[in-house]
Amino acid sequence: MKRILAFTLTELMVVIAIIAIIAAILFPVFQSAKDSAKKSSCLSNIKQISLGILMYLQDYDEKMPHKNQYQELVHPYLKNDKIYRCPKVKRSSGGQGYALESRLIGKSLYQIKELGKRPMFWDSLNLEKNATDPGIGFATRHNGFGNIGFLDGHARAYSETEGYTLLFAPIAFEEKK
């Protein structure tokens, strides 16, 4: 004798309600994990670009690249065009989301004091290609944090106040001898 499984409407509604509750709990968790992954990817991009610029500097007498073409000059060291786009910047905007410190352009690395404290590249509000920024457009698009790459090659996430404090700090240059 075959037994037929049958569910009442109430049982079916209870199962659907349980699934909906579990989904409502898990969706924010998944979104948070996705945002964390984008923040990490962005930090990695900034670190790689910073290291690419440092490799460029070694080959070109430690002189910073020109502001309107630094992506093209650093490209042979990175070989990846997607690295210049922050994962949180919408592709439809056509923007990239990173900027080079404009006050460093044309300077030699040996002229700059405290390389480990001097921001070189960061999440910027300026979305143009080859964007440069004098430190006024720090974007905190990663849950209140923005990423900064430094002249010694390290990169780190900073809150808005910490980031602006670093970016607005005056740059100490040594006199040419």
Side-chain angles (χ1 to χ4, degrees):
M1 183 177 249
K2 289 185 180 179
R3 192 163 187 182
I4 299 174
L5 288 175
F7 295 103
T8 65
L9 184 58
T10 306
E11 291 170 333
L12 189 59
M13 295 300 283
V14 167
V15 170
I16 291 171
I18 290 171
I19 291 172
I21 290 170
I22 291 172
I25 292 169
L26 291 180
F27 281 139
V29 172
F30 291 140
Q31 186 62 39
S32 175
K34 186 177 177 182
D35 288 343
S36 293
K38 286 182 179 183
K39 179 181 176 183
S40 296
S41 177
C42 178
L43 183 62
S44 175
N45 288 351
I46 287 180
K47 180 167 178 60
Q48 289 180 51
I49 294 167
S50 297
L51 291 175
I53 291 171
L54 290 175
M55 287 187 276
Y56 169 86
L57 291 172
Q58 288 178 351
D59 289 345
Y60 291 92
D61 298 325
E62 296 189 345
K63 191 163 182 143
M64 290 296 286
H66 303 291
K67 74 177 186 177
N68 294 331
Q69 57 186 0
Y70 69 83
Q71 286 184 10
E72 291 80 9
L73 295 173
V74 175
H75 181 73
Y77 303 96
L78 301 173
K79 298 182 180 172
N80 182 355
D81 290 330
K82 294 179 183 176
I83 202 169
Y84 292 104
R85 181 183 303 277
C86 176
K88 290 283 275 193
V89 173
K90 290 184 176 30
R91 295 204 185 279
S92 61
S93 71
Q96 295 189 335
Y98 301 133
L100 180 68
E101 169 62 83
S102 63
R103 296 177 290 173
L104 299 176
I105 292 172
K107 301 290 184 190
S108 293
L109 200 59
Y110 69 86
Q111 292 178 284
I112 304 165
K113 294 181 180 179
E114 298 181 319
L115 299 179
K117 295 180 180 178
R118 184 71 251 151
M120 169 177 53
F121 209 78
W122 59 81
D123 278 321
S124 176
L125 298 173
N126 187 345
L127 300 178
E128 298 172 9
K129 181 177 181 180
N130 288 312
T132 57
D133 192 339
I136 58 173
F138 183 55
T140 55
R141 60 176 73 94
H142 304 288
N143 296 330
F145 287 87
N147 297 311
I148 300 176
F150 293 83
L151 278 169
D152 69 346
H154 84 278
R156 194 179 138 211
Y158 287 92
S159 69
E160 186 172 11
T161 53
E162 290 174 318
Y164 274 116
T165 301
L166 281 169
L167 298 177
F168 277 119
I171 302 173
F173 294 106
E174 293 182 17
E175 297 296 320
K176 289 184 178 180
K177 296 177 183 174

